[in-house]
Amino acid sequence: MIFFHWQVNNDLAFTLDIKDLYSQFNMKKLGYREGTVDTDGTFINSLGGKSYLPLYRGVAGSKDYQFDLPENTNLFAHYQAEHISTESIASRYIVRYKRQGEVNFYYAGVELEFAASSLMLMLDLEHLSPELRYSNNWLDIVLATDELDLDKAMQFTLGLGVNYTF
């Protein structure tokens, strides 16, 4: 993981977060099956008798696997807008570029900070899908989807992080 934060001035900051830069997983002798499934399960043989077939026919064994996770890059630009801040709530405009594997995402949104917590509302500009994040000193919750119509959604994100200092 690489994390970089640059505070240009009091109003403008950039954050770069790269995860899974190099991640290969090797798994040895995982279960491996190859075969066919027969959902009918019965047939009438040449003598007219009813016979039952096994539901699954195939081979079982083990195989070695290697997985490579795609790189996950997040680049944020934060702009502190003094004209929309009050004494109890500070507001920030946020622009985000996210690259996951070979796919690019572009977001725009606002972050509201109050007391010891913050609420971030982001919108994926291409798919017009929302992302909502609430965080404070001990809790971080993320809720997002890739499509407003949940029946057509391919990805639904629910993240929960709890920090406890002892």
Side-chain angles (χ1 to χ4, degrees), residues 61-110:
S62 63
K63 207 176 193 182
D64 295 341
Y65 289 94
Q66 179 179 338
F67 300 97
D68 296 319
L69 289 178
E71 180 182 308
N72 188 341
T73 303
N74 282 293
L75 176 62
F76 289 89
H78 309 267
Y79 178 72
Q80 179 75 33
E82 290 184 26
H83 63 279
I84 60 172
S85 297
T86 65
E87 290 182 18
S88 60
I89 298 175
S91 302
R92 242 186 251 165
Y93 294 118
I94 299 175
V95 177
R96 176 183 179 194
Y97 164 73
K98 176 181 174 183
R99 181 172 176 90
Q100 191 164 5
E102 299 297 319
V103 183
N104 298 319
F105 300 93
Y106 303 93
Y107 294 87
V110 66

Side-chain angles (χ1 to χ4, degrees), residues 162-166:
V162 178
N163 298 316
Y164 179 73
T165 305
F166 54 92

Side-chain angles (χ1 to χ4, degrees), residues 20-126:
D20 301 324
L21 190 59
Y22 178 79
S23 58
Q24 290 182 341
F25 297 96
N26 296 314
M27 297 182 187
K28 305 269 186 208
K29 298 187 188 253
L30 285 179
Y32 172 74
R33 308 275 189 272
E34 185 175 350
T36 58
V37 175
D38 182 4
T39 57
D40 183 26
T42 63
F43 74 97
I44 297 177
N45 62 23
S46 61
L47 300 173
K50 198 178 237 188
S51 296
Y52 296 94
L53 295 173
L55 180 62
Y56 176 80
R57 281 194 276 182
V59 295
S62 63
K63 207 176 193 182
D64 295 341
Y65 289 94
Q66 179 179 338
F67 300 97
D68 296 319
L69 289 178
E71 180 182 308
N72 188 341
T73 303
N74 282 293
L75 176 62
F76 289 89
H78 309 267
Y79 178 72
Q80 179 75 33
E82 290 184 26
H83 63 279
I84 60 172
S85 297
T86 65
E87 290 182 18
S88 60
I89 298 175
S91 302
R92 242 186 251 165
Y93 294 118
I94 299 175
V95 177
R96 176 183 179 194
Y97 164 73
K98 176 181 174 183
R99 181 172 176 90
Q100 191 164 5
E102 299 297 319
V103 183
N104 298 319
F105 300 93
Y106 303 93
Y107 294 87
V110 66
E111 181 177 15
L112 306 171
E113 291 183 346
F114 43 95
S117 60
S118 69
L119 178 66
M120 187 185 319
L121 307 165
M122 301 289 288
L123 182 68
D124 181 340
L125 298 176
E126 184 178 349

